[in-house]
Amino acid sequence: MLTPQWLDQLRSRTTLSALVGRSVRLQKAGREHKACCPFHDEKSPSFYVNDEKGFYHCFGCGAHGDAIRWMTDHQGLAFMDAVKELAGEAGMDVPEPDPRAAKAAQKRDTLNDVTTAAQEWFRHNLTTPEGAEARAYLQTRGFDPRIVARFGFGFAPDERQALKQALVRFPEPMLIEAGLRIEVEDRDPYDRFRGRLMLPIEDARGRVIAFGGRILSKEKTKAPKYLNSPDTPLFDKGRTLYNLHRAAPAARQSGRIVVVEGYMDVIALAAAGIDEAVAPLGTALTEHQIEMLWRHVEAPILCFDGDAAGQRAALRAITRALPLLRPAHTLRIVRLPEGLDPDDLIKARGPAAMEEVLGEARSLLDVLWEVEKDAHPLTTPEDKAGLKARLIQHVETIQHPDIASLYKRELLDRYGEFAFPRRENRWQGGQGGGESRRPFTPRGPGQGRWNGRPATPPSLPESIEKLKKALSGGSRDGLAAAVIAGLMRWPELVPRHAEALARTPGLDSRFDALLECCDAMAPLEKDALSTILSENGLEVPRTAEYSGFRFGFLAPGANAEHAAAELAQAIDLLVERPVLEAALAQATARFESEVSDETFAEQQRLLKRKLEFDKRLRQMATRHASSS
């Protein structure tokens, strides 16, 4: 039996604009969405969807209905099929057609009577002598009588049976089912909330469905500071946002909703004049709560404390939101100054400081990059590769293909700038006038030796010239020319390596022209690449440029699979070389300015790596010649 209460709950859990938007292109129009009517032909929009009121209406043809009517009239489903489909998406079980469904609906109504009566009792207790401690606490928070009355503060006496005696007209099982009493085996039930400042938790219609309580006694160190009602037939904490029934009207005026970590933060913001704040209830923000927020604004602002816990909470929220992202629907995030929550910030610096923080809300992408970059030390290549892997894992959870593609491109751009920064050539003389570096003077005993070993310090002028020649000699140009020739011969491989090449500093300018081709929709062709180079005033690589390299991917009759693998290895070497060169140049410069065991060892280690690199390059470049 589908009761009116159950159907109302189904409608409240369905975002009508999201449902209609699957088949109709909607545009935001103030508090509503508009489109050309799907029920009749028209050139200008007269069809409106109102999420707040839960209906659509066409001023042209008069079509009107709710989510269920949309599924029957537009999608052509039978009534029960429409209900079942919507219920499945909302996570609701369709009641069986028997009298028990009616009893369940009646029970919910009756439980509302219980929670309403409990709220009246809690509020009354706050005015009694027993409530003096709770009133004193409210004064320390700076909550005036208007705020106290508006949010319905109350007080629960520190007694195990006080609520049962006050609500004696309701049977014990109802008090337990409403979450007000706790039943344990072999013991008498007792009141859940004792010695606490009480707050009602209300649904989107403003009906009391649960409670939250803050402990007042400082001696009860083992008891939780904040205690919420358990899930009940009335209350699902993952589908409830504290203060939404007040924040939604305020959000229509301000155009924003602010999500804070707890209900006391919500009240502190309201006391400062920021009425559009909500909070989850003891859990991280859920997918359903994000959808609830999007019914009211397209970019809710999530506000987190500035400590490590706040950063972890931000990452959890981002992880939940990424799969749900769709055009024009996202999250923005702010982090408060470390050690301050909203109430602390307002008391210390005033409401204007809070508004300033909210005005600096950052995009979800910005915060994702920052949180992951700061999550672990990034001192080794392995660390940096781990950062890239984590970013890609996040991107892969985004369901919308266009958004996923844009996130991937932006995050990898930032990763490339971080992992492969462009370095200045520190071997082109001094600053401003090209003055030469000071000559090396051996120090201490055993001059001309280092740690007892013969060594020519690399800071001597002839050593520097030798190193510069080794780093910038023809071998690198030959390798680049060979790779360009290989890509022109196998143009279908250009997109595969475009990202790595684009992030490598100091490459042959002909690479830029080739990489621009990756944006073209048509497949790349050999002749087209030659034409592109010529049109840009660039020469096609001549055999003489890479005569010292006999790569297999340049050989006549090369196997496509083997050529692709060998070309990939050559590109890996090409990409690795400038990083190694820059590191070696920096190590040599450090050794020159600060002669020590550590700087000498680092410089020698990198020299060894360079020799190994050159050996790998020679082996690869001559492999084809020796095998043929």
Side-chain angles (χ1 to χ4, degrees):
M1 179 180 176
L2 303 180
T3 65
Q5 293 84 0
W6 189 90
L7 292 172
D8 282 346
Q9 188 177 12
L10 176 62
R11 295 183 185 101
S12 70
R13 292 192 180 188
T14 302
T15 305
L16 185 57
S17 62
L19 181 67
V20 175
R22 295 174 188 172
S23 49
V24 178
R25 186 173 182 177
L26 297 175
Q27 294 180 327
K28 189 72 173 175
R31 303 177 187 178
E32 301 176 313
H33 295 78
K34 67 179 181 180
C36 290
C37 181
F39 295 99
H40 79 287
D41 293 330
E42 61 176 6
K43 295 182 179 180
S44 59
S46 61
F47 177 82
Y48 287 78
V49 178
N50 190 312
D51 281 328
E52 178 189 350
K53 298 178 180 179
F55 66 74
Y56 61 84
H57 182 81
C58 177
F59 292 92
C61 68
H64 182 93
D66 58 12
I68 300 173
R69 186 71 177 267
W70 173 262
M71 298 296 284
T72 58
D73 289 5
H74 188 266
Q75 302 296 313
L77 299 180
F79 177 80
M80 280 307 301
D81 291 336
V83 167
K84 289 177 181 178
E85 184 167 329
L86 292 174
E89 293 181 2
M92 296 174 61
D93 294 325
V94 179
E96 294 293 332
D98 61 27
R100 287 179 296 179
K103 289 183 179 179
Q106 184 179 5
K107 178 187 293 184
R108 284 193 294 273
D109 290 342
T110 309
L111 289 180
N112 270 129
D113 295 335
V114 175
T115 53
T116 300
Q119 168 60 8
E120 293 174 357
W121 182 67
F122 290 138
R123 292 188 71 160
H124 171 73
N125 291 339
L126 186 63
T127 66
T128 66
E130 284 183 298
E133 186 178 5
R135 295 195 300 272
Y137 173 79
L138 289 170
Q139 289 181 347
T140 65
R141 296 296 298 254
F143 297 152
D144 60 33
R146 180 183 61 86
I147 288 292
V148 171
R150 180 183 178 191
F151 285 90
F153 278 103
F155 172 67
D158 193 7
E159 301 176 22
R160 297 173 65 88
Q161 306 298 330
L163 182 138
K164 178 184 178 180
Q165 294 169 7
L167 303 185
V168 67
R169 66 183 183 277
F170 296 104
E172 180 86 87
M174 290 185 66
L175 299 177
I176 294 171
E177 193 165 15
L180 295 169
R181 299 267 288 170
I182 297 176
E183 184 178 36
V184 293
E185 193 173 346
D186 299 328
R187 295 177 61 185
D188 292 335
Y190 56 92
D191 293 353
R192 181 179 300 275
F193 300 102
R194 306 183 307 279
R196 292 180 179 270
L197 179 71
M198 298 299 296
L199 267 175
I201 298 169
E202 294 142 314
D203 64 12
R205 299 183 182 182
R207 298 175 298 185
V208 177
I209 57 175
F211 295 93
R214 187 197 189 282
I215 200 163
L216 293 170
S217 175
K218 296 181 180 179
E219 299 175 358
K220 295 184 177 181
T221 55
K222 294 183 179 181
K225 184 177 181 180
Y226 288 96
L227 179 65
N228 291 335
S229 295
D231 283 353
T232 70
L234 292 178
F235 176 54
D236 181 341
K237 58 179 174 287
R239 294 175 176 271
T240 304
L241 284 167
Y242 177 75
N243 196 49
L244 182 61
H245 66 294
R246 299 186 191 92
R252 289 193 289 273
Q253 301 298 321
S254 67
R256 71 180 182 190
I257 283 184
V258 181
V259 184
V260 290
E261 295 193 42
Y263 35 68
M264 297 302 280
D265 294 330
V266 169
I267 300 168
L269 290 178
I274 302 173
D275 295 323
E276 60 276 17
V278 299
L281 292 153
T283 64
L285 202 65
T286 67
E287 291 85 351
H288 186 81
Q289 288 169 334
I290 294 172
E291 292 286 359
M292 292 171 66
L293 293 167
W294 281 343
R295 295 180 191 177
H296 303 283
V297 298
E298 293 179 342
I301 299 174
L302 275 54
C303 183
F304 295 101
D305 293 346
D307 55 12
Q311 186 149 322
R312 290 192 297 270
L315 184 58
R316 287 196 299 270
I318 291 171
T319 303
R320 291 278 178 87
L322 287 175
L324 308 177
L325 295 179
R326 54 182 183 265
H329 289 76
T330 186
L331 301 175
R332 296 184 66 78
I333 297 174
V334 299
R335 290 182 61 192
L336 296 170
E338 189 166 358
L340 299 179
D341 61 23
D343 190 28
D344 297 329
L345 179 62
I346 291 169
K347 286 180 178 177
R349 307 179 191 174
M354 189 68 207
E355 287 287 2
E356 183 179 351
V357 169
L358 294 176
E360 296 173 352
R362 303 174 63 194
S363 72
L364 191 152
L365 187 144
D366 285 342
V367 178
L368 174 60
W369 164 253
E370 180 183 274
V371 169
E372 284 295 6
K373 185 167 68 70
D374 296 342
H376 303 283
L378 298 173
T379 55
T380 68
E382 293 83 359
D383 295 335
K384 295 175 182 177
L387 169 62
K388 182 178 180 181
R390 294 195 302 275
L391 294 172
I392 294 299
Q393 285 177 349
H394 285 300
V395 170
E396 289 175 348
T397 67
I398 300 174
Q399 299 298 310
H400 194 283
D402 291 342
I403 295 176
S405 176
L406 291 167
Y407 262 67
K408 183 176 182 179
R409 180 171 182 175
E410 177 66 24
L411 288 171
L412 289 181
D413 281 348
R414 297 186 187 196
Y415 173 80
E417 292 175 3
F418 169 75
F420 307 108
R422 294 188 179 276
R423 295 180 172 89
E424 295 181 0
N425 188 345
R426 302 183 64 174
W427 295 99
Q428 295 178 352
Q431 296 180 353
E435 65 181 65
S436 60
R437 298 179 180 272
R438 62 175 177 80
F440 171 75
T441 303
R443 305 175 184 177
Q447 292 184 355
R449 302 171 66 85
W450 189 257
N451 286 347
R453 300 187 300 272
T456 302
S459 54
L460 288 173
E462 60 268 26
S463 299
I464 293 176
E465 291 303 316
K466 185 176 181 181
L467 180 60
K468 288 170 65 178
K469 183 178 180 180
L471 294 181
S472 58
S475 61
R476 180 180 179 187
D477 293 336
L479 175 60
V483 169
I484 293 171
L487 291 174
M488 295 183 67
R489 182 174 180 188
W490 309 94
E492 67 275 10
L493 299 178
V494 174
R496 183 183 303 179
H497 301 289
E499 179 183 326
L501 292 170
R503 300 184 191 290
T504 303
L507 286 184
D508 190 313
S509 59
R510 288 175 288 188
F511 280 108
D512 293 334
L514 295 182
L515 296 181
E516 287 180 2
C517 302
C518 293
D519 295 331
M521 297 300 293
L524 300 179
E525 298 180 359
K526 301 177 185 178
D527 294 341
L529 295 181
S530 299
T531 302
I532 288 170
L533 289 180
S534 299
E535 289 177 349
N536 284 274
L538 302 169
E539 293 185 357
V540 175
R542 304 184 306 273
T543 306
E545 289 187 65
Y546 51 87
S547 58
F549 298 94
R550 303 184 65 180
F551 289 117
F553 57 78
L554 297 174
N559 175 273
E561 183 177 351
H562 292 164
E566 191 171 312
L567 182 57
Q569 294 177 41
I571 290 174
D572 286 343
L573 292 173
L574 186 68
V575 169
E576 180 183 351
R577 186 155 192 159
V579 178
L580 177 58
E581 290 173 355
L584 180 55
Q586 287 186 343
T588 302
R590 283 195 297 270
F591 176 69
E592 177 188 2
S593 60
E594 182 185 347
V595 180
S596 68
D597 288 345
E598 289 78 14
T599 55
F600 176 80
E602 176 67 7
Q603 197 264 356
Q604 292 297 306
R605 182 182 69 81
L606 289 169
L607 276 176
K608 182 179 179 182
R609 277 187 59 187
K610 182 187 177 301
L611 292 174
E612 293 172 349
F613 176 93
D614 292 340
K615 181 179 179 182
R616 284 162 48 207
L617 180 58
R618 287 194 302 272
Q619 289 175 341
M620 180 181 174
T622 58
R623 185 188 309 156
H624 177 73
S626 61
S627 61
S628 56

